[in-house]
Structures are given as C-alpha cells and as structure tokens.
Amino acid sequence: MRIAIPLLLAAFAPQAAPHRIPASEANQGVAAGLHFIYAISNHEIGKYDKRTGKRVLHWEGDPAHFKHMNSCSLIGRELACAASNYPDVPQHSMVEFFDADTLRHMRTVPLGAFPGSLTVLTRHGLSWWAVFANYDDRGGAPGRDHRATLLVELDGKFHEKRRFTFPEAVLERFAPKSCSGGSWKGDLLYVTGHDRPELYALRVPAKGNVLELVATYPIPTNGQAIDWDPFEPATLWSIERKTREMVATPISLNPRSGSPGSR
C-alpha cells in the first residue's frame, strides 16, 4: 500500500510570481545572504547581487579536489559547503569553507567514516546538522539504497552527537535518489529531494530516532539544495537546474493547515 503524505497546497500558494536570477553555476543549489545570493555547482560558486541579479564574483576550483559540492550555507562571513567524492566508493565526505566576501577557499575539513555522501550541512542551535545521502542507482555502498539516508547532529568540532533516519513517507518520495537540500526555519528542518517539486517539513523527535513529517509543500522547482532568505523570512530560494536559474519564491506557511501522514 502506498503511503499518503500531507500536502498543503493552499498554505504554500505563492503570494507573487517567483523571482528568477540566471546563474550558470546553478547546478547543485543556492545559499542566501542579506545582500547577495550564491549559486553552487560541483566545483564552482557564483556570487550575485540579489537586487540587480548581476554576478559580482566567480570562483572555480580544481575538479580533482572539488569533485562534488552539493550545497552551501552562509554561517557568519563564511560559506560552509557540503562536499563528497560522489559517485566514487568508498564514500568520503568533507566540508569546504569559503570567505563569503571574496569566495577565497579557506580550508577543508575531512569528516570521519559516515555511511553516505554529504549533501546538506547547516547550523541550528549549537550544532551542525548533516545529511548523508545514499542512492539506489550509483554512488552508494553495497547493500545501501535511499532508505539508508541519515541526518546526523554534529558538535562544533564535527563529532557525532545523534543520528536520525527519515520517515518512510519521505523516503518513498526521495526514491530512487536521496535528500539534496535542507534549511532550518524555526524548529523545523525543511528538506528537498533530488527531482520532485516538493518541500518536506521535518521535526526532530523528542524520543526515538525517526524524524517526524509535519507537512509536505509544493514548490515551483525540482528538488536540489535550498535556503530560506535571512532578510525576507517568507522567501525560499531554490534552483531550476534545467534553466540554470536561482528562484526566490514568496510563500506563506500555515502549520495549522497540515495533517499527519497515514498509511
């Protein structure tokens, strides 16, 4: 029997047409700052003026080192980027730090042995929150598929504190890929898959290790890495990979319109 997941069509109806900024680097995701927006590719970052849409800086790294950057988060004056050696095995993940002002690469922090490829890294509270993805088709260890995708809470030195699995309803929507984006808003982590135009609101459980699905929202783009705008909190940034655009969608979240998933 297929799993029904909660949809909030009216609650996530755009208040205005999405604002689109063309960006050649918009292949993996987007990170949002107060005045600038960052387009992320495997080994490229473009910095764009949010008001004019003009690119002000471009960085390109050696693909031999920067094999697969999947997403970045703006933490203070640094971009913290989730990276891995995907699709190679054994899987290795690392965090690449950049100066957000100049896009100068600052340091690489290798992570320990985790079962998956790092696709999301963001801060919430005093912790880092990392998603390690697994896929059905390639780039995964033998015996692991999308159901092995994990959310791991890390301390300030990237040591593991806790790990969580995704609810079955969300894993069904990830298949055959995995989680590609994640951004906190309040006490909920909003995540996206690889292809579907959907956003999943998740809550860390008070007990147990399975994340709780609060609601599912339609979005105008197809998965990949996302970020909530820090200046306009009702705006979600995402990318449209086919057209290489960064997309800002004004939205209205109404948790009371949601209902829990059911079998």
Side-chain angles (χ1 to χ4, degrees):
M1 181 179 295
R2 293 182 63 84
I3 298 171
I5 56 178
L7 291 176
L8 294 184
L9 299 178
F12 200 73
Q15 297 173 335
H19 173 53
R20 296 174 178 266
I21 297 178
S24 62
E25 307 90 349
N27 184 54
Q28 295 293 345
V30 61
L34 290 177
H35 304 294
F36 299 97
I37 196 80
Y38 302 84
I40 314 302
S41 189
N42 287 330
H43 52 271
E44 293 181 81
I45 301 175
K47 181 177 180 178
Y48 291 77
D49 185 293
K50 286 169 65 176
R51 183 178 61 84
T52 66
K54 180 180 179 181
R55 188 170 75 180
V56 296
L57 283 174
H58 175 80
W59 171 89
E60 185 171 357
D62 182 356
H65 175 83
F66 300 94
K67 186 174 180 63
H68 188 84
M69 287 198 307
N70 191 81
S71 66
C72 299
S73 296
L74 187 62
I75 310 297
R77 301 186 70 173
E78 293 184 340
L79 282 173
C81 300
S84 73
N85 66 337
Y86 177 85
D88 295 346
V89 290
Q91 296 161 311
H92 297 293
S93 296
M94 63 288 299
V95 184
E96 304 289 359
F97 284 93
F98 297 84
D99 183 302
D101 294 329
T102 66
L103 296 188
R104 178 176 63 89
H105 181 248
M106 301 177 68
R107 63 191 181 278
T108 299
V109 178
L111 300 183
F114 286 97
S117 299
L118 183 67
T119 56
V120 175
L121 183 77
T122 187
R123 289 279 292 191
H124 180 62
L126 300 177
S127 298
W128 292 98
W129 297 81
V131 173
F132 293 91
N134 287 279
Y135 305 85
D136 292 4
D137 52 358
R138 62 175 185 158
R144 293 207 301 264
D145 58 18
H146 69 279
R147 293 168 295 183
T149 299
L150 291 173
L151 173 69
V152 181
E153 182 183 6
L154 307 167
D155 66 17
K157 295 184 178 180
F158 296 102
H159 298 142
E160 181 176 342
K161 297 171 64 177
R162 297 182 293 173
R163 63 174 61 184
F164 302 92
T165 58
F166 286 78
E168 189 175 353
V170 175
L171 290 172
E172 183 187 64
R173 307 297 284 181
F174 284 167
K177 301 293 187 178
S178 188
C179 178
S180 292
S183 183
W184 285 93
K185 187 177 181 63
D187 291 329
L188 296 180
L189 176 64
Y190 292 81
V191 303
T192 48
H194 191 274
D195 301 301
R196 293 182 185 272
E198 296 174 348
L199 181 72
Y200 313 105
L202 302 174
R203 178 183 291 117
V204 173
K207 296 181 180 180
N209 64 351
V210 181
L211 296 167
E212 299 173 1
L213 175 61
V214 177
T216 301
Y217 304 93
I219 56 176
T221 55
N222 297 91
Q224 303 304 315
I226 57 170
D227 204 7
W228 290 104
D229 193 298
F231 186 72
E232 299 178 16
T235 296
L236 180 77
W237 283 93
S238 58
I239 67 165
E240 191 60 73
R241 175 181 271 182
K242 291 182 180 179
T243 57
R244 295 298 176 95
E245 293 176 309
M246 299 180 291
V247 182
T249 307
I251 59 173
S252 176
L253 298 177
N254 181 6
R256 291 179 297 180
S257 298
S259 59
S262 59
R263 291 183 180 275

